[in-house]
Amino acid sequence: MITRENLNPDNLTADDVKAFVGRYQDDPIRFVNEILQLEVDSNQKEILESIRDEDYVSIASGRGIGKSWVLSFVAIWVLCTKPSAKILVTSNTDAQSKTTLWSPLCSILRKSLVSEWFDVTTERINFKGNPDLAFIKRLVWSENNVEAVSGYHSKNMIYLCDESSKYP
């Protein structure tokens, strides 16, 4: 059984990390169930599988199906399983960015079995002791400031754009 204790970063070996990545890198649903200790519904399962299998995914739907939650799942899954991942999460306004996506993302991470792996601030989540290895960064999208999302590079680069009514 996987526990917070046996995922304590002070006790993990390189082989443990390799086994963790091998177990979850292609299975976001297992990651959500076992590491985030949450269940996914059929809509969220479809979204997770699409993001796993496709390079570009757009989700158009009504309110209340859990899009922000599933984007949080994706951000944490990618951060934990994809080497040198850079995850940028954006919304239309600072208020949306803080409340609609960042707040649930931080809450889910705090309750997860890997919470001790990360330093969390109001705008960034990164591995303790190695902030440049991989990270999640909160940004605000603006047509007047497209540079805010420019300049990031990684083989495992992902943009998660929530509340995207103003995106081109």
Side-chain angles (χ1 to χ4, degrees), residues 119-168:
D119 287 321
V120 179
T121 70
T122 58
E123 296 187 357
R124 190 174 164 110
I125 298 169
N126 54 260
F127 284 96
K128 289 182 178 178
N130 200 346
D132 296 321
L133 175 66
F135 58 81
I136 302 170
K137 177 131 176 82
R138 181 179 71 85
L139 300 169
V140 177
W141 165 257
S142 167
E143 279 188 68
N144 301 321
N145 186 18
V146 294
E147 293 81 18
V149 296
S150 300
Y152 296 94
H153 307 283
S154 174
K155 176 184 175 192
N156 292 306
M157 181 80 208
I158 187 168
Y159 291 88
L160 299 173
C161 307
D162 197 25
E163 301 298 333
S164 59
S165 61
K166 294 185 180 181
Y167 295 104

Side-chain angles (χ1 to χ4, degrees), residues 64-165:
I65 71 153
K67 293 181 304 289
S68 297
W69 274 79
V70 81
L71 291 180
S72 297
F73 302 163
V74 169
I76 299 166
W77 169 65
V78 170
L79 184 63
C80 289
T81 64
K82 308 297 181 189
S84 303
K86 308 286 189 274
I87 302 110
L88 302 181
V89 297
T90 70
S91 290
N92 292 324
T93 68
D94 190 52
Q96 281 180 331
S97 174
K98 286 178 184 172
T99 60
T100 306
L101 187 54
W102 197 253
S103 179
L105 193 158
C106 291
S107 176
I108 292 165
L109 182 59
R110 261 192 312 277
K111 295 173 185 174
S112 77
L113 297 182
V114 293
S115 61
E116 294 301 313
W117 294 10
F118 302 102
D119 287 321
V120 179
T121 70
T122 58
E123 296 187 357
R124 190 174 164 110
I125 298 169
N126 54 260
F127 284 96
K128 289 182 178 178
N130 200 346
D132 296 321
L133 175 66
F135 58 81
I136 302 170
K137 177 131 176 82
R138 181 179 71 85
L139 300 169
V140 177
W141 165 257
S142 167
E143 279 188 68
N144 301 321
N145 186 18
V146 294
E147 293 81 18
V149 296
S150 300
Y152 296 94
H153 307 283
S154 174
K155 176 184 175 192
N156 292 306
M157 181 80 208
I158 187 168
Y159 291 88
L160 299 173
C161 307
D162 197 25
E163 301 298 333
S164 59
S165 61

Side-chain angles (χ1 to χ4, degrees), residues 5-89:
E5 186 176 304
N6 60 23
L7 289 176
N8 182 312
D10 295 332
N11 301 329
L12 291 174
T13 66
D15 286 341
D16 294 333
V17 173
K18 184 177 179 180
F20 180 92
V21 170
R23 180 176 178 90
Y24 298 110
Q25 69 183 344
D26 295 322
D27 197 345
I29 297 162
R30 174 186 264 184
F31 180 86
V32 171
N33 293 159
E34 294 180 2
I35 301 303
L36 303 184
Q37 299 187 305
L38 296 167
E39 296 294 323
V40 296
D41 64 26
S42 59
N43 289 321
Q44 293 168 335
K45 180 180 179 189
E46 183 178 350
I47 293 166
L48 288 167
E49 289 171 343
S50 293
I51 289 172
R52 177 196 62 204
D53 298 339
E54 305 297 333
D55 289 335
Y56 301 96
V57 175
S58 176
I59 305 159
S61 72
R63 298 174 191 246
I65 71 153
K67 293 181 304 289
S68 297
W69 274 79
V70 81
L71 291 180
S72 297
F73 302 163
V74 169
I76 299 166
W77 169 65
V78 170
L79 184 63
C80 289
T81 64
K82 308 297 181 189
S84 303
K86 308 286 189 274
I87 302 110
L88 302 181
V89 297

